[in-house]
Each structure stands twice: as C-alpha cells, then as structure tokens.
Amino acid sequence: MTSKALLLATLSGACLLAAQSSLAYDWETSLSIEDKENASDPSYNLSAKRYFAPLDSATNAPLAEIPFIDRLAELELDFSYQKDSRTLQLSPFRINTSTSIEIENKWKSFGIGYRHANASSPHSFSAAFNYVDIEVQLPQFSWWRRFGTGEYELVDYNLITDERAVYSYGIGYEYYLSDSWTVGTALSLNESSFSDTYTASIGSKRLWDLGNDRWLSASASINYIGSKNPYSDDETFAADLAMSYYFSKRSSVSIGASFHEGNQPETYTLSGKHFFNDQLYLELGLEQTEYGYSSSMLPDGSVLDPDETAVQATLGFRF
C-alpha cells in the first residue's frame, strides 16, 4: 500500500470513530501527515495541548477560534519526523563504470510552547523552544586511475552521517483591542552550526461575526529576517497573510500566502476544516511553494522543479 493510500485509509477509519459528547475540554491532541511532491516519504507531526481553563464549546464562536476568543492559557508539546531516501547514480566524466548509492536523510523536531492569557486581562504573553536534529548521509569515494587511459574506476565508498542541530527560541506579546481583535509582536532566534537567523515580527488578527452562525477571520504580519553565516550577512523582509471563512461553528475554508524579498520561497495554502462534533475534527490542506531558482538535475537523474506541492491532513481530538 502506498503512503497516500495508507494516509487516506487511516484518516477515513478514524473519522468513523464515535466521540463522547461534552461541553468543556482541557486537552487537544492532533496527528498531521504531509506528503511533499519532491520527498520520498511523508512527514509526521504529533501535538498535544493542555488548556489551563476549560475550553467551552458553548462559546458563541467557531470551535476552532474558542482558545483565541476566550483567551485561554495553554501549554503545547509537539514532535515531528521526516525521512527522505534517494538513489544517487554515479557516472561522472571519464568514469567507465556506473554505481548506484542509497542515501537516507532524517529530520527530528521537538518543541514546547506556552501562552499566558486571562479572560480578565487584555495582555497575552508567549514563549517557545524548538530543537531539530538533522542527519544527512554524505558518500565518501575512493578512486583508482588506469595508467595511460585517463579513466577512473570506483574502488570503494563509505557513507558518512553528518549530524547537525538547530535550536530555536521565541517570545511574543499580544494585546486584545477587543474580544476578537489583537495586535502583537514577536522575536525569534534560530541557532545552528552553519548559520544564525533572527526574526522580528509585528502582526494583527481579527474575527468578525457576520451573523447567522457565520464568521470571517483574518490575520497579517510583517517580518524582518536577518541571518549570519561564515560567508555573508543577509537581511530580508517577509509578509504573511491568512483568511478563514466559517460556514458554521464547525466548518471553514482557509487561504494563506507568505511573500519574501529576493529569491526566497513563496508559499500559498488552501485548506478546509470540519468538526464532526465538539471533539473530533479533520483538516485537509494543499500547499504550493515556489522557490527562487530554475529547474535543475539531481544526481539520481530526476529533475528538481522550482515549484513544490504538498498535501496535508490533520486529525484532532479534544477531551
């Protein structure tokens, strides 16, 4: 069974589960699966949230927006895993043999975040930490040159695993102008052995009640991004936009876009989310990423397209 077929079978089966009916919950868990066009394997994310005040589904707001409207304090833990396997076909210039080498790269991410909010205060504070462990396999070759022919033969090779770590730290502040409108700012820092990136952001989010159990949500942010590496220092600006239309308390459709200066990737998203009851929900999304380079040939003979499409699915449960 392919990864896509397994994904659809798993989500379809889970959606048939009966959920217990209740009005207030303290926990929310979710499992997300993403299948990228240029990746050999899907990526997985497991998340758990603990609300420090009951999440009341009777609130006059979309179920997805209740933590925002009720200003709930929350603690979130998440884990992500991604693997990418590729076959390198070695047949370079003046080599009289062709050799296939299997390599495997892995990414594991661990994150924790806390948001402090209170229904009686317009101030909200947040902090987050994330650790990414990257394992990249690099082939190391031994060559032998035939005397008088100028040709080379591959004698042997070893796969060397290069491990890298990325540490991310972030803090944020939001001010509630009203029960459904916030403005805020955030600072974050990514540290690694090859570069450091820092980001400063300002943004706003608002939810409009359109009547007849319909709502509209919009958010926007402007980000200043600076990076330092052994070769240069770079600075750029980015903008993130998102909008969601709620047909009812349970169903919504969302669009989003992320724009960057220069030859940086731009991302566009389209998703739909539905709560089958007050507890169980499913979200399906499509993401299109446009990179700032032209098509190129990979070592395995495939073509790396400057555009990449990803299919995402998230199954969540509140209890």
Side-chain angles (χ1 to χ4, degrees):
M1 182 180 290
T2 65
S3 60
K4 291 184 179 179
L6 179 61
L7 167 63
L8 293 175
T10 302
L11 293 176
S12 298
C15 290
L16 296 177
L17 295 176
Q20 180 182 356
S21 178
S22 182
L23 288 178
Y25 316 102
D26 299 315
W27 290 88
E28 180 173 338
T29 60
S30 65
L31 172 64
S32 299
I33 304 176
E34 181 179 62
D35 191 357
K36 291 185 177 180
E37 183 179 10
N38 294 329
S40 63
D41 299 275
S43 61
Y44 304 89
N45 176 267
L46 182 63
S47 174
K49 289 183 181 180
R50 170 68 164 92
Y51 297 106
F52 292 94
L55 191 155
D56 188 359
S57 59
T59 298
N60 184 30
L63 293 177
E65 299 284 1
I66 291 176
F68 170 72
I69 292 295
D70 285 350
R71 309 182 194 182
L72 300 182
E74 62 185 58
L75 176 68
E76 180 176 9
L77 301 173
D78 71 79
F79 169 74
S80 299
Y81 176 79
Q82 181 180 354
K83 181 180 72 173
D84 187 27
S85 303
R86 295 189 181 275
T87 301
L88 301 183
Q89 192 71 29
L90 299 177
S91 54
F93 180 65
R94 299 185 71 84
I95 302 298
N96 63 348
T97 58
S98 179
T99 303
S100 297
I101 299 177
E102 296 284 344
I103 64 171
E104 186 176 88
N105 303 324
K106 298 178 181 179
W107 295 262
K108 295 188 289 290
S109 173
F110 308 87
I112 181 171
Y114 175 71
R115 176 179 183 255
H116 178 77
N118 191 299
S120 61
S121 172
H123 306 285
S124 172
F125 303 91
S126 60
F129 170 78
N130 193 70
Y131 167 75
V132 182
D133 179 54
I134 305 173
E135 296 182 8
V136 180
Q137 286 189 330
L138 303 173
Q140 186 180 58
F141 308 105
S142 298
W143 305 100
W144 175 73
R145 181 176 180 179
R146 288 185 174 183
F147 179 76
T149 65
E151 294 182 344
Y152 291 81
E153 287 187 0
L154 178 64
V155 178
D156 195 10
Y157 72 88
N158 294 315
L159 288 178
I160 300 176
T161 300
D162 181 22
E163 293 194 26
R164 300 179 179 181
V166 180
Y167 300 89
S168 302
Y169 318 87
I171 57 173
Y173 169 76
E174 285 184 320
Y175 181 81
Y176 278 82
L177 299 172
S178 66
D179 289 340
S180 57
W181 188 7
T182 62
V183 293
T185 184
L187 297 172
S188 65
L189 171 66
N190 294 345
E191 291 185 324
S192 68
S193 58
F194 44 92
S195 68
D196 294 337
T197 303
Y198 48 92
T199 304
S201 306
I202 56 172
S204 180
K205 176 179 179 178
R206 187 168 186 180
L207 178 69
W208 289 272
D209 188 345
L210 305 179
N212 297 320
D213 280 342
R214 285 172 170 77
W215 293 265
L216 179 67
S217 172
S219 62
S221 67
I222 298 176
N223 316 298
Y224 167 79
I225 306 171
S227 62
K228 294 183 178 181
N229 57 63
Y231 308 102
S232 65
D233 296 342
D234 298 320
E235 296 179 351
T236 185
F237 285 91
D240 298 319
L241 306 172
M243 182 174 292
S244 298
Y245 178 74
Y246 294 90
F247 302 94
S248 66
K249 286 174 65 74
R250 295 185 176 183
S251 302
S252 65
V253 61
S254 303
I255 57 173
S258 179
F259 305 98
H260 291 257
E261 277 189 325
N263 294 325
Q264 299 297 317
E266 295 185 350
T267 303
Y268 305 90
T269 60
L270 173 65
S271 65
K273 188 172 186 178
H274 177 70
F275 280 79
F276 297 96
N277 49 43
D278 290 345
Q279 295 176 274
L280 183 67
Y281 65 85
L282 174 66
E283 183 173 9
L284 300 176
L286 189 67
E287 180 179 274
Q288 177 77 10
T289 303
E290 298 181 358
Y291 296 95
Y293 55 79
S294 57
S295 300
S296 58
M297 185 75 71
L298 294 175
D300 61 1
S302 62
V303 176
L304 182 60
D305 196 290
D307 298 339
E308 182 179 49
T309 302
V311 179
Q312 304 161 338
T314 300
L315 184 68
F317 186 70
R318 293 173 173 174
F319 58 97

